[in-house]
Amino acid sequence: MCGIVGYIGNKQAIPVLIEGLQKLEYRGYDSAGIAVYNQGKINIRKFKGRLSVLEEHLKKETIEGSLGIGHTRWATHGEPSDINSHPHSNVSGDIVVVHNGIIENYMQIKKFLKEKGYEFISETDTEVLAHYVDYFYNGDLIEAVKNVLEKVRGSYAFAVISKSEPDKIVCVRKENPLIVGVGEGENFIASDIPAILNHTRKIYLLNENELAIITKDSISFINEEGKNIEKDIFEVSWDVAAAEKSGFEHFMIKEIHEQPKAVKDTMTSRIIADQASIKLDDIKLTKEELEKFSKVFIIACGTAFHAGMVGKYVIEKLARIPVEVDIASEFRYRSPIVDDKTLTIIISQSGETLDTLAALKEAKKNGSRILSIVNVVGSSIARESHDVLYTWAGPEIAVASTKAYTTQLIALYTVALYMAKLKGTLTDAQITEIKNEMMELPNQIEVALSHKATIQKFATKNSNARDIFYLGRGIDYAVALEGSLKLKEISYIHSEAYAAGELKHGTIALIEKGTIVVALLTQDALYEKTLSNIKEVKARGAFVFAIAKEGNTDIETVADYTLYIPEVSDILSPIASVIPLQLLAYYMAVEKGCDVDKPRNLAKSVTVE
Ligand code: AGP
């Protein structure tokens, strides 16, 4: 997720661009840049690091001009660096682009353009757009962009300016936000409303595949059929703070709702429907190398550890290779049995968690191959790993991890399928079936999110609970651990997650009249057994909130309250079953008046031991 801003009008562009980028820094902050046209030249200044690095540079030189575009980057392709920062231009610097999203077929286009003599200087997918517009440009920027749009695949929002046509900005959106701000003798574009709210509250919301041509006195739109269209102006009533959360009350609830897109983006170009092949980015794990491994370790902390718990079940089930999951801070100090026959999977949203980084180094020192699943490109853990599979969740601002968790699961499913393919433990038909189900997961999340009002009502009624227990068997137990952590860390309500079969070995002594128990029953093979565990706690007076798959209606005769998630295979069920648990924790915390995005005692990235 990156931030785009653009200006054309009578004022100096730089102050407007910088102010807009400041408001968009939450969308991406590993590098920033601007491009401004002035007297026959487009000046580009772009730097790795926070926006302040660019701001400090711009204090030392005056760049004039009233047409400009700017960008804050959240790296996906190409580590954070000056060269990989946006804007990107063609060789002559006449055509300049800023982009948010993923150009899925950028490698094929890059190869085609290289054969035509184009030279590339960055590792990004975005640079392809600048050269491709150049390739099609023959005096009409709009036509050149339209030609590019016929060829590129992926999800993107991008804006283009040209030295040859300095009276306009051409921009387009596909699955990534882009708005147009309406001014007096000036107009604006941005990824998000906060960037331009100080200049105008009149905006146009671009729809899918719509192109916009912005001059200082006009705004026109072309739809994907190439027809000129009229659009209604939307009057923004939000204040800036609300706008940064796209109208949501907290970043956490915004990020919970971003999960359909985050999951889809993380699958993009790796999971292609109706094909048994799995594209694992640049990871070159060969069949011979995989067969050398006698064991997989999954090491992480907190939510990432809970994702690893699911990963264990999935990798063992699909790839039939032994998996051991460990908390990073424990792994480091127990003289783990690790050697060059161990594949270590490190999971970390921030890529900076010190316990996890230290565990990585411990495993690496003992000869293990390190594959990390990370959400921050170029982070310490990514740099220390032999292979990295990035989750493309975009920046996760709330301390409580939500979209990082579900995208980590997607990455683990992808690794498990990749291993199963190499080892031949699944047939192509079986792999294709699972992948086709995975393509449906964003919709499953939407269905799970549709129950939020019901969950909010339950949470409001029970937010004064002293203890809440979470139960599940198998993969449901792993998800129960995550649900319990979510509740604890943002509502401060004590909670424990238990393997449902283990309850009778002690903890059931804590169950008394009115004790709230959240029970997950999504695993078909374990449904009856978990049902009997629920009867055990009911018999002792518990109030049971059950989460089951559609169709298992007999649970309603046992549980006090049942919430259904869509029918999906057991291994994929956590993507949907975790949603009500995230929402339950969120609404309990809101009802208790807790600081949801910044819970007490916690940090977003724990860089201390
Ligand atoms: C999860 O909601 C917490 N914020 C915390 O447990 C977190 O998952 C843990 O600190 C690991 O962080 P990482 O994924 O950035 O390594």
Side-chain angles (χ1 to χ4, degrees):
M1 178 154 69
C2 302
I4 291 173
V5 64
Y7 174 78
I8 185 163
N10 301 311
K11 297 188 191 109
Q12 287 305 316
I14 290 285
V16 178
L17 298 178
I18 293 300
E19 179 197 24
L21 293 179
Q22 284 166 348
K23 296 283 186 287
L24 294 178
E25 256 208 305
Y26 72 89
R27 293 181 62 84
Y29 34 73
D30 57 51
S31 49
I34 52 92
V36 175
Y37 170 82
N38 190 35
Q39 295 175 349
K41 186 175 182 312
I42 296 178
N43 293 301
I44 296 177
R45 300 290 182 274
K46 59 182 188 173
F47 301 95
K48 175 184 175 182
R50 302 297 297 241
L51 177 58
S52 54
V53 174
L54 174 64
E55 289 177 274
E56 282 310 306
H57 177 88
L58 292 172
K59 285 177 185 163
K60 299 174 197 142
E61 67 165 323
T62 305
I63 294 181
E64 293 186 336
S66 299
L67 162 65
I69 51 179
H71 187 269
T72 54
R73 184 168 183 244
W74 178 266
T76 52
H77 295 73
E79 288 209 348
S81 67
D82 293 355
I83 291 284
N84 287 337
S85 308
H86 302 206
H88 287 279
S89 76
N90 63 340
V91 172
S92 64
D94 298 354
I95 291 171
V96 179
V97 177
V98 289
H99 162 235
N100 173 28
I102 295 165
I103 304 296
E104 271 180 43
N105 59 336
Y106 83 98
M107 291 304 285
Q108 295 95 307
I109 297 170
K110 191 168 186 172
K111 181 171 178 292
F112 168 77
L113 292 170
K114 279 184 173 175
E115 288 162 1
K116 298 290 182 188
Y118 283 84
E119 289 171 14
F120 288 78
I121 58 172
S122 83
E123 307 160 277
T124 67
D125 53 342
T126 305
E127 188 185 354
V128 162
L129 293 171
H131 296 304
Y132 218 12
V133 173
D134 176 273
Y135 173 73
F136 285 112
Y137 188 75
N138 58 7
D140 186 332
L141 185 61
I142 300 167
E143 281 310 306
V145 172
K146 285 161 79 172
N147 285 320
V148 167
L149 294 178
E150 284 174 16
K151 302 287 187 186
V152 295
R153 279 202 326 273
S155 70
Y156 46 77
F158 67 86
V160 192
I161 60 175
S162 165
K163 184 181 81 169
S164 310
E165 301 182 37
D167 64 333
K168 65 173 71 76
I169 299 173
V170 180
C171 57
V172 64
R173 73 147 285 168
K174 180 174 181 278
E175 296 172 11
N176 281 269
L178 200 62
I179 61 169
V180 178
V182 186
E184 299 289 325
E186 60 183 12
N187 290 307
F188 311 80
I189 65 165
S191 300
D192 220 343
I193 292 168
I196 57 173
L197 211 45
N198 286 343
H199 300 278
T200 179
R201 288 185 173 273
K202 291 185 170 59
I203 66 166
Y204 290 105
L205 298 166
L206 280 189
N207 294 321
E208 285 303 278
N209 299 309
E210 286 182 352
L211 198 75
I213 299 95
I214 296 100
T215 72
K216 70 184 182 66
D217 298 309
S218 70
I219 300 169
S220 55
F221 303 100
I222 300 171
N223 68 11
E224 61 183 316
E225 286 78 43
K227 291 190 178 57
N228 287 318
I229 55 172
E230 296 299 317
K231 291 176 69 71
D232 297 332
I233 283 188
F234 170 70
E235 192 85 28
V236 179
S237 57
W238 297 332
D239 62 22
V240 173
E244 275 182 358
K245 302 177 191 101
S246 302
F248 287 101
E249 189 181 355
H250 301 101
F251 277 112
M252 183 178 175
I253 191 69
K254 174 175 179 261
E255 288 157 7
I256 287 173
H257 284 78
E258 284 176 345
Q259 290 181 107
K261 182 174 183 311
V263 158
K264 182 172 186 292
D265 285 351
T266 302
M267 279 194 276
T268 295
S269 79
R270 294 163 176 165
I271 299 274
I272 299 153
D274 297 327
Q275 288 179 31
S277 64
I278 309 285
K279 205 178 163 314
L280 216 47
D281 297 7
D282 304 330
I283 295 169
K284 300 280 182 291
L285 209 51
T286 63
K287 182 175 166 42
E288 295 66 36
E289 285 170 321
L290 190 59
E291 277 166 355
K292 188 185 77 174
F293 296 133
S294 57
K295 176 170 73 172
V296 172
F297 254 118
I298 300 180
I299 304 168
C301 299
T303 288
F305 168 72
H306 297 149
M309 291 274 289
V310 174
K312 168 184 169 65
Y313 288 105
V314 174
I315 293 172
E316 286 188 343
K317 185 174 177 66
L318 300 188
R320 307 309 297 159
I321 187 168
V323 179
E324 199 174 329
V325 194
D326 214 339
I327 291 170
S329 54
E330 289 296 307
F331 174 82
R332 302 172 60 188
Y333 299 111
R334 63 179 182 83
S335 311
I337 300 167
V338 177
D339 57 23
D340 61 357
K341 295 184 181 55
T342 312
L343 171 65
T344 298
I345 299 176
I346 296 286
I347 309 175
S348 175
Q349 186 285 130
S350 63
E352 300 299 341
T353 301
L354 188 59
D355 283 331
T356 309
L357 180 59
L360 180 159
K361 290 176 178 173
E362 174 73 17
K364 195 172 174 182
K365 183 181 73 182
N366 288 287
S368 174
R369 170 99 173 240
I370 308 293
L371 162 59
S372 62
I373 294 172
V374 179
N375 195 40
V376 181
V377 175
S379 54
S380 304
I381 285 174
R383 285 201 303 276
E384 283 286 340
S385 302
H386 297 111
D387 297 298
V388 184
L389 188 63
Y390 285 110
T391 50
W392 286 331
E396 189 175 67
I397 310 295
V399 165
S401 211
T402 51
K403 61 178 183 174
Y405 174 79
T406 43
T407 54
Q408 285 160 1
L409 295 186
I410 295 296
L412 286 162
Y413 293 141
T414 309
V415 169
L417 288 170
Y418 182 86
M419 288 178 171
K421 172 85 177 165
L422 282 182
K423 287 170 59 73
T425 47
L426 289 181
T427 64
D428 281 0
Q430 288 170 318
I431 290 173
T432 303
E433 187 186 344
I434 293 171
K435 285 173 43 185
N436 289 341
E437 263 210 275
M438 286 178 70
M439 303 298 275
E440 283 308 305
L441 290 174
N443 296 332
Q444 312 272 13
I445 296 173
E446 295 288 5
V447 172
L449 286 169
S450 68
H451 300 307
K452 63 182 172 185
T454 315
I455 295 166
Q456 183 173 15
K457 207 164 82 185
F458 177 85
T460 306
K461 268 178 67 180
N462 296 283
S463 63
N464 57 355
R466 196 164 41 88
D467 302 292
I468 296 183
F469 289 82
Y470 288 72
L471 296 186
R473 282 176 179 257
I475 280 186
D476 280 340
Y477 169 50
V479 180
L481 285 166
E482 175 55 14
S484 174
L485 174 63
K486 286 280 95 50
L487 184 76
K488 283 181 280 196
E489 64 177 328
I490 62 172
S491 74
Y492 317 144
I493 293 173
H494 172 257
S495 168
E496 286 187 57
Y498 255 83
E502 181 63 9
L503 205 64
K504 58 186 173 296
H505 298 286
T507 309
I508 199 163
L510 292 175
I511 304 293
E512 54 194 23
K513 183 156 179 44
T515 303
I516 296 177
V517 173
V518 178
L520 289 100
L521 307 93
T522 73
Q523 304 299 294
D524 296 341
L526 299 166
Y527 179 80
E528 290 305 330
K529 290 212 178 300
T530 311
L531 196 56
S532 63
N533 296 138
I534 293 174
K535 288 173 185 169
E536 287 164 12
V537 297
K538 278 300 293 173
R540 288 150 180 90
F543 181 97
V544 176
F545 179 122
I547 294 170
K549 274 193 268 196
E550 284 160 1
N552 290 327
T553 51
D554 51 350
I555 176 64
E556 290 178 43
T557 62
V558 179
D560 298 276
Y561 185 79
T562 300
L563 190 139
Y564 292 105
I565 61 168
E567 173 57 41
V568 65
S569 60
D570 285 2
I571 58 166
L572 300 180
S573 66
I575 296 287
S577 63
V578 78
I579 302 300
L581 305 185
Q582 294 170 344
L583 291 169
L584 182 62
Y586 172 76
Y587 288 119
M588 286 251 183
V590 169
E591 184 63 22
K592 292 188 69 182
C594 297
D595 183 349
V596 172
D597 286 334
K598 296 188 179 66
R600 69 186 181 197
N601 311 338
L602 294 177
K604 182 57 187 169
S605 179
V606 182
T607 52
V608 293
E609 279 207 51

